[in-house]
Amino acid sequence: MTKDISVGAGAGLVAALLFGVLLKGSALAILLYLLAPLPILIVGLGWSHRAALAAVVSGALALALFAAPSLSLAFAAYLAIPAWWLAYLALLGRPKADGTADGAIEWYPTGRLLAWVAGTAALAFIAIAVIAAPDYDTFRSQLSTMSRRIVQVQVQRGRIPPPAQNAPSNEAPAGNAERPAEPATPQMQGGEQPKSGTTGETKADETKPDDLASEVADALASAAPAIAAQGLTILFTFYLWAAARIVQISGRLLRPWPDLPSTMMPRSALLVFAAALTLAMVPGYPGALGIALIGAFSAAFALQGLAAFHDRSRGRPGRFALLAGLYVLLFLTQGVAMLALILFGIADTALDRRRPKPHGDA
């Protein structure tokens, strides 16, 4: 046990170093920052969850002493504690109750683990948001500012219409060169000119593109928790898979490698998803949590849909071509095809047709 703690403490220092280089702001620093959870997951899967917990403590203390307490808190809440928790769940097991083999262990199902990955990602995003901005209005203002910058970039690239460029007032509109000039508008009493209705129409036309960009920015700010939690769910899943592979190659993986294509979340995940849709209507951080859960579980259902596609294509002729075509479609559509995978994963969970039936059923 003492060895596990010492190994875990060393892994925590490595994770803290990878997380701390983010302050450099370079491309290499961002790449190293993305690898920060791996040391914690590796010691958690290869040694014990106590080693992963020691990594959390040592890494957080190192950042608090040599960087900043706020950075230490962000490291623990956003990456370190989620990595420890997922490693702990992955190694949960109990003796099989069916008596088929003495000493056989029933390991924590990968479907339940995937559901926890989604929930952990949503909670991690809300945790880092609260740390960065305890007041929700401040957090929302930060999201709006970031969204407007993204929209400005899209306008520059031509993906969103730019503001209309009006011709000077002394130039005739195109196609009206031969139209006779209109008589001068008579002055009103007092020398005032009557208000022209075309001026208000021109101002309305000028504001339409700006309104479109503003609406896109507001929509992006509202969806930001879902987008962030969705990406974090995919990252946590990849981290867990990569760490398990590394530990398996070293021969220290404490559980047998699971059958990943048979992964299927329990039906309770649908209830969480429905509750998240309701929670998203609540103002403040509870609503942001609901939106984050929607994004996180959407990613989890998409991953399950991908696993179901692998599972159902087993033994079929042309399986490699089918899988290759699916991945090419996902790449070419830039994630639009993920909507079909999400719906496929939801249907797979609701219908529950791939789960093995209990013994004795017809």
Side-chain angles (χ1 to χ4, degrees):
M1 180 177 175
T2 304
K3 182 180 179 181
D4 291 355
I5 293 177
S6 61
V7 171
L13 295 178
V14 174
L17 179 62
L18 293 174
F19 186 84
V21 295
L22 183 63
L23 298 176
K24 298 292 183 180
S26 63
L28 179 60
I30 295 175
L31 178 61
L32 293 175
Y33 154 78
L34 291 175
L35 300 177
L38 279 178
I40 301 175
L41 283 168
I42 288 173
V43 296
L45 295 174
W47 279 262
S48 68
H49 72 92
R50 297 182 184 86
L53 190 59
V56 173
V57 174
S58 65
L61 287 176
L63 287 173
L65 293 175
F66 299 102
S70 58
L71 191 66
S72 169
L73 192 58
F75 166 78
Y78 190 60
L79 292 179
I81 293 178
W84 161 77
W85 174 243
L86 295 178
Y88 171 77
L89 291 176
L91 294 183
L92 282 180
R94 63 185 180 185
K96 288 187 176 181
D98 54 7
T100 54
D102 294 336
I105 297 178
E106 181 183 5
W107 295 99
Y108 199 71
T110 54
R112 291 183 177 273
L113 185 58
L114 178 59
W116 270 112
V117 168
T120 302
L123 291 173
F125 171 79
I126 295 300
I128 195 67
V130 172
I131 292 171
D135 179 63
Y136 178 75
D137 292 336
T138 303
F139 170 69
R140 177 70 186 192
S141 176
Q142 292 172 352
L143 287 182
S144 299
T145 302
M146 179 187 65
S147 300
R148 289 191 184 95
R149 291 176 181 173
I150 295 174
V151 170
Q152 288 174 358
V153 172
Q154 299 304 313
V155 169
Q156 293 172 359
R157 293 180 178 179
R159 297 180 180 179
I160 297 177
Q165 300 294 331
N166 294 320
S169 58
N170 59 349
E171 293 183 5
N176 296 336
E178 298 179 356
R179 182 177 298 179
E182 296 180 359
T185 305
Q187 291 186 351
M188 298 177 64
Q189 293 182 358
E192 296 181 358
Q193 293 286 346
K195 295 182 179 180
S196 173
T198 57
T199 304
E201 294 176 0
T202 303
K203 289 182 178 179
D205 292 339
E206 289 178 356
T207 57
K208 282 182 180 179
D210 292 337
D211 289 343
L212 176 60
S214 179
E215 290 176 2
V216 172
D218 290 341
L220 185 59
S222 299
I227 298 172
Q230 191 176 63
L232 197 57
T233 299
I234 295 174
L235 281 176
F236 279 165
T237 304
F238 171 74
Y239 291 150
L240 194 58
W241 173 84
R245 276 299 187 192
I246 293 172
V247 176
Q248 183 193 35
I249 293 173
S250 68
R252 295 193 62 95
L253 189 61
L254 301 178
R255 64 175 288 175
W257 190 260
D259 183 25
L260 295 181
S262 63
T263 297
M264 186 166 58
M265 291 187 290
R267 284 181 172 174
S268 57
L270 295 173
L271 298 178
V272 175
F273 190 71
L277 293 173
T278 304
L279 186 61
M281 303 177 186
V282 179
Y285 274 120
L289 175 60
I291 296 173
L293 286 171
I294 292 172
F297 274 88
S298 295
F301 282 123
L303 291 172
Q304 180 174 319
L306 192 61
F309 197 88
H310 278 261
D311 191 20
R312 293 177 182 271
S313 62
R314 286 174 173 174
R316 296 179 181 270
R319 181 175 186 260
F320 177 79
L322 287 173
L323 295 177
L326 175 62
Y327 284 102
V328 170
L329 184 63
L330 286 173
F331 177 77
L332 293 179
T333 58
Q334 297 183 357
V336 176
M338 279 191 66
L339 179 60
L341 283 178
I342 292 171
L343 297 176
F344 188 29
I346 291 174
D348 187 53
T349 303
L351 297 177
D352 200 16
R353 291 183 177 179
R354 291 192 299 136
R355 201 182 305 276
K357 295 182 178 180
H359 294 286
D361 288 356

